[in-house]
Amino acid sequence: METRDVSNAAVTRRRTAFGVLGGLVGFLVASVLAAVLVVAAMVPVVAVSAIATTNTINVFENLPDYLSIEPLSEKSNIYATGSDGAPRLLASFYDQNRVEVGWEQISQYVKDAAVASEDPRFYEHGGVDLQGTLRAAVTTVVGGDIQGGSSITQQYVKNVLVQRCETESDKVAQQRCYDAATETTADRKLKEMRLAVGLEGKYTKDEILRQYLNITGFGGTVYGIEAAAEYYFGVSAAALTLPQAASLVAIVNNPFKFQLDRPESQANGAANGYAANKQRRDYVLGQMLRYRKILPEEYRAAVAVPVEPSIHEPSTGCQTAGGSAFFCDYVLHILQNDPAFGDNADTRMLKFRRGGYNVYTTLDLDLQNAAEAAIAANIPTVYGGGDLGAVVSSVQVGSGRVLAMAENKDYSQDPAVQATGANFTGINYNTDYDYGGSSGFQPGSTYKIFTLAEWLKEGHSLNERVDSRRKANWGTFQDSCLGPQNYDKEGFNPLNDEVGENAPNYTALESTIRSINTGFIGMAKRLDLCGIRKTAEAFDMHRADGDPLGQSAASVIGTNEVAPLSVAVAFAGIANQGVTCTPIAIDRIVGRDGAEIPPPTSTCAPSVDPSVAAGMAFALHQVMTRGTAAPSNARTLPNLPMIAKTGTTDGAKDTWMSGASTKVATTVAVVAVTGSLDQRHQRVASGLISDARHRIWPAVMSVANAKYGGDAFVESATNPAGRVTQPAAGG
């Protein structure tokens, strides 16, 4: 809508108070004139230069130092990717809910309402409206409403000074700054006038008005006209109707009194729950009519409209991301750990919450929804038989992109909320401690893949047999880092999972397919424990608590506490012909100005030779088709070539299913978060808890296989001696 000059003889003009209480008014006039002289002496009034309108507060970077602030605080957003490839908002973060907009993105009704009600001579004065200041003072003296008398430019200056205080991290310094910016003193007012006059000498009226509408508060944490329009009415600032625009401009006069998300009591027969806002709104409409911004019929129609806000709560924090909240939390921790955002975690988070960033993540909502649904169908948020947790982590092979990350708990970082039920937690069981996770879980036999890798790496064959009898004296294991480790007197006597699995000489392949503990201890006896640890590290395996990996004989069968995401990354490395890519969760970061900000990147490096990876894939494919992972294989459709390894800790406290196609790797872990429980003897609605991994994993990988496909794994050719030589294509 364009501004119109509308004649209206019926407009009732406000009675002036000049002539009343002449002596006191004379004093006030003298005071105002004195102030004007001081201002004129400090900053000569210069002509307003016509400069191009821009879309950010940065156009004011040449103001005096005490107005050189950071760009306006704007909310940042985190997005996932939907089925159609379009971004889907997961959550927003802000200290001030603001979206800065340009001149053309603000309704003309808003601009006219602000000028008519707050500063009718805005386009005529040079920053300080002397008539308005004097009129306000007199009106206040003669008993009218208290008037501020500040021009829009002065109000903008004050808002800038207050905004500057928001950048103070120290609370005491912040309060001191705020007091100085808002104190009711002649000195502060003169400083404000001086800055207002200087401002008008540098920038156009339209630019000042636009920035005023972007910076001003609209109640609570709502700042700027765009966020106010979205929050109170669910529309953009450009789409506001006349009564809506007037209601929002009314809030500016007194945000606490006139805001629209706090209805007044309708006692005493009040017909409108927002009577205070309506009264001020109608005054704004009257001013618009008085100053010929609207027609009489528009005025009559607008005042007849009841004040009816439609509150649209913005997404605030990861708790609004639903089942994706733990992934959202993981992204936040990545940003907190990224030096590009500042020198320390607090600075980085503050910058993110105020910086207006759009973060586009790797999360694939098709896989994520499948993971959430599979967990919900098999593991409850609260289980009466113990502290039961379940997680899914999926990673794209060859890139490290995290495609899914789900958990069976409800997310909250609020201790008060967590205290209301065991279903709430702020801990992400998928990740390392430094990224919002736990101290990790023992993976059991899943960890055997690293001994298998070292076995093949050292030139041993899958068909080679080892001493796999159960025994109390395993003797001495070689360790090139810590020295020989003796297990002849420490009672190291690991059992096998199945009764009767105590043959004297299983092959490495048989031990892998049937996950025979003593077979892998026998393999480790002929290897270097330090070498096994280094091979695990080459697959980016590490303890979740940040401590070094243990390299004892016991660690061969999975005693290191690790994060499920790390296991998924390792399987992706095997599927990628031995090249492991560290996990990444962010594809793009876009700043408020549209510029790309480099996100943390994945590091891909060879873990083992491709021929070793091919041998591992051959063995782990057998685990999937005829070994301990066969139950998952039977339920995965489409059934593409896949590799896998299961894991079960002592007493079936924790159960794991990890595997991959050549495109996607997924790890499922069902764990006792605290305490212990025997999953093989406890049930949930869908069946035995110990089998839940084989119900969850296929549900996720069926979606992954259908969407991403998969190729045949490279298979090892062996020489007559049974040693791995070069890879050959195969299924």
Side-chain angles (χ1 to χ4, degrees):
M1 170 186 166
E2 296 297 327
T3 304
R4 290 166 292 170
D5 188 1
V6 182
S7 297
N8 178 29
V11 173
T12 302
R13 298 187 180 277
R14 195 182 287 262
R15 183 178 63 87
T16 64
F18 293 110
V20 181
L21 301 176
L24 182 55
V25 170
F27 172 76
L28 291 172
V29 170
S31 298
V32 171
L33 292 176
V36 172
L37 291 174
V38 173
V39 171
M42 289 191 296
V43 182
V45 179
V46 296
V48 176
S49 60
I51 62 172
T53 300
T54 65
N55 286 333
T56 70
I57 195 70
N58 287 332
V59 297
F60 293 153
E61 63 184 0
N62 293 322
L63 288 176
D65 289 342
Y66 41 82
L67 280 182
S68 296
I69 64 168
E70 292 294 322
L72 284 176
S73 176
E74 289 192 60
K75 67 179 180 180
S76 293
N77 305 303
I78 293 179
Y79 296 92
T81 302
S83 298
D84 58 356
R88 298 285 188 273
L89 181 66
L90 290 182
S92 297
F93 303 83
Y94 56 81
D95 289 333
Q96 296 178 355
N97 179 18
R98 177 189 284 110
V99 178
E100 197 171 344
V101 290
W103 180 256
E104 298 299 329
Q105 295 170 283
I106 303 173
S107 165
Q108 189 65 41
Y109 286 133
V110 174
K111 302 167 190 173
D112 290 341
V115 172
S117 62
E118 293 294 320
D119 188 0
R121 285 171 34 82
F122 173 69
Y123 281 98
E124 301 168 26
H125 62 65
V128 178
D129 182 8
L130 303 184
Q131 291 184 22
T133 301
L134 183 58
R135 183 177 62 249
V138 173
T139 302
T140 300
V141 168
V142 299
D145 292 337
I146 296 175
Q147 301 290 309
S150 293
S151 69
I152 281 177
T153 311
Q154 287 174 260
Q155 292 181 50
Y156 173 75
V157 167
K158 182 178 178 180
N159 277 322
V160 170
L161 294 173
V162 170
Q163 180 77 22
R164 178 176 179 267
C165 300
E166 297 292 332
T167 64
E168 293 281 357
S169 57
D170 180 74
K171 294 298 183 183
V172 174
Q174 186 181 76
Q175 186 62 47
R176 188 182 301 116
C177 175
Y178 179 79
D179 291 342
T182 59
E183 62 183 350
T184 308
T185 65
D187 178 70
R188 199 274 301 172
K189 197 70 175 179
L190 289 175
K191 178 181 178 182
E192 182 182 279
M193 290 178 174
R194 174 189 183 278
L195 292 172
V197 172
L199 196 66
E200 297 250 1
K202 292 179 179 288
Y203 306 105
T204 67
K205 287 284 189 178
D206 286 354
E207 183 60 20
I208 293 171
L209 178 58
R210 184 189 72 82
Q211 293 292 56
Y212 166 77
L213 292 170
N214 273 317
I215 199 173
T216 195
F218 288 85
T221 59
V222 181
Y223 288 81
I225 188 63
E226 179 71 13
E230 293 174 355
Y231 177 64
Y232 290 116
F233 295 110
V235 299
S236 69
L240 286 165
T241 65
L242 173 58
Q244 288 173 342
S247 270
L248 294 184
V249 172
I251 296 174
V252 174
N253 183 262
N254 188 326
F256 181 78
K257 182 178 181 181
F258 299 132
Q259 69 188 80
L260 293 173
D261 54 358
R262 189 173 37 81
E264 303 153 23
S265 171
Q266 297 198 23
N268 303 320
N272 192 304
Y274 304 94
N277 181 277
K278 186 177 189 303
Q279 183 180 19
R280 179 69 187 179
R281 181 202 71 173
D282 292 350
Y283 165 77
V284 173
L285 291 168
Q287 290 295 95
M288 295 178 75
L289 179 62
R290 175 181 179 180
Y291 290 103
R292 301 168 181 170
K293 304 300 182 184
I294 56 175
L295 295 164
E297 53 266 33
E298 289 179 296
Y299 169 79
R300 289 191 294 270
V303 296
V305 174
V307 176
E308 294 179 330
S310 175
I311 303 300
H312 290 69
E313 289 285 352
S315 164
T316 310
C318 285
Q319 65 271 15
T320 65
S324 302
F326 292 99
F327 174 81
C328 174
D329 185 83
Y330 177 57
V331 172
L332 279 187
H333 279 84
I334 290 173
L335 295 173
Q336 284 180 328
N337 290 330
D338 185 1
F341 280 84
D343 295 332
N344 56 64
D346 290 341
T347 301
R348 294 162 192 160
M349 202 63 231
L350 187 66
K351 185 175 181 180
F352 176 69
R353 291 177 65 86
R354 296 177 176 177
Y357 298 100
N358 286 316
V359 178
Y360 299 94
T361 71
T362 60
L363 193 70
D364 181 328
L365 289 178
D366 289 336
L367 264 68
Q368 179 68 15
N369 291 338
E372 292 175 25
I375 289 177
N378 289 282
I379 302 295
T381 57
V382 178
Y383 174 65
D387 190 2
L388 190 62
V391 297
V392 172
S393 283
S394 291
V395 175
Q396 187 175 41
V397 173
S399 72
R401 299 174 69 248
V402 179
L403 302 176
M405 181 178 284
E407 184 171 321
N408 72 315
K409 300 293 184 180
D410 297 318
Y411 176 87
S412 176
Q413 292 292 350
D414 187 342
V417 173
Q418 293 175 14
T420 64
N423 56 305
F424 288 105
T425 184
I427 300 174
N428 185 350
Y429 303 143
N430 284 281
T431 61
D432 296 335
Y433 182 84
D434 286 345
Y435 286 84
S438 71
S439 57
F441 306 96
Q442 291 188 358
S445 294
T446 311
Y447 201 83
K448 293 172 181 174
I449 61 173
F450 305 118
T451 298
L452 175 64
E454 184 69 7
W455 179 261
L456 296 173
K457 179 179 169 183
E458 290 299 314
H460 295 284
S461 166
L462 290 173
N463 294 323
E464 191 173 336
R465 296 182 179 274
V466 296
D467 182 0
S468 53
R469 293 171 295 178
R470 184 186 173 200
K471 56 178 73 70
N473 182 356
W474 279 93
T476 300
F477 288 75
Q478 298 304 309
D479 188 328
S480 62
C481 297
L482 302 179
Q485 297 188 32
N486 195 317
Y487 286 86
D488 59 351
K489 297 180 180 178
E490 296 186 19
F492 179 66
N493 188 15
L495 300 173
N496 288 316
D497 200 43
E498 298 293 336
V499 176
E501 289 183 338
N502 196 30
N505 56 351
Y506 286 112
T507 66
L509 181 60
E510 289 172 324
S511 295
T512 303
I513 294 170
R514 297 171 61 182
S515 195
I516 298 171
N517 289 338
T518 53
F520 273 86
I521 298 298
M523 292 162 66
K525 186 75 186 301
R526 297 173 60 179
L527 299 171
D528 176 11
L529 293 179
C530 183
I532 296 173
R533 188 259 298 168
K534 289 181 177 179
T535 294
E537 291 173 341
F539 280 98
D540 198 38
M541 183 53 54
H542 52 273
R543 287 180 59 89
D545 59 10
D547 288 345
L549 284 175
Q551 57 193 61
S552 67
S555 69
V556 168
I557 52 178
T559 57
N560 279 298
E561 286 87 2
V562 299
L565 176 61
S566 298
V567 177
V569 167
F571 273 83
I574 300 169
N576 194 36
Q577 299 185 55
V579 177
T580 302
C581 298
T582 57
I584 54 170
I586 301 172
D587 282 334
R588 298 171 58 221
I589 302 175
V590 181
R592 70 171 75 209
D593 58 357
E596 297 271 347
I597 298 169
T601 57
S602 176
T603 300
C604 297
S607 304
V608 291
D609 187 82
S611 63
V612 172
M616 295 176 71
F618 175 83
L620 296 175
H621 179 62
Q622 307 304 309
V623 174
M624 176 61 85
T625 56
R626 60 189 182 96
T628 57
S632 280
N633 186 61
R635 295 169 176 162
T636 304
L637 296 173
N639 194 285
L640 303 174
M642 295 179 289
I643 60 174
K645 185 70 188 74
T646 57
T648 304
T649 60
D650 288 348
K653 173 185 174 183
D654 306 321
T655 55
W656 297 65
M657 171 63 196
S658 299
S661 67
T662 58
K663 303 298 183 181
V664 176
T666 295
T667 288
V668 171
V670 181
V671 299
V673 179
T674 59
S676 63
L677 53 84
D678 186 348
Q679 294 187 20
R680 284 183 173 143
H681 294 89
Q682 297 189 54
R683 303 181 68 87
V684 288
S686 59
L688 281 173
I689 297 176
S690 58
D691 292 338
R693 56 183 166 169
H694 294 307
R695 299 189 291 270
I696 298 171
W697 195 91
V700 178
M701 284 302 292
S702 291
V703 174
N705 286 357
K707 184 169 186 175
Y708 291 90
D711 304 315
F713 284 89
V714 172
E715 192 173 302
S716 296
T718 57
N719 63 18
R723 297 182 183 276
V724 175
T725 54
Q726 58 185 5

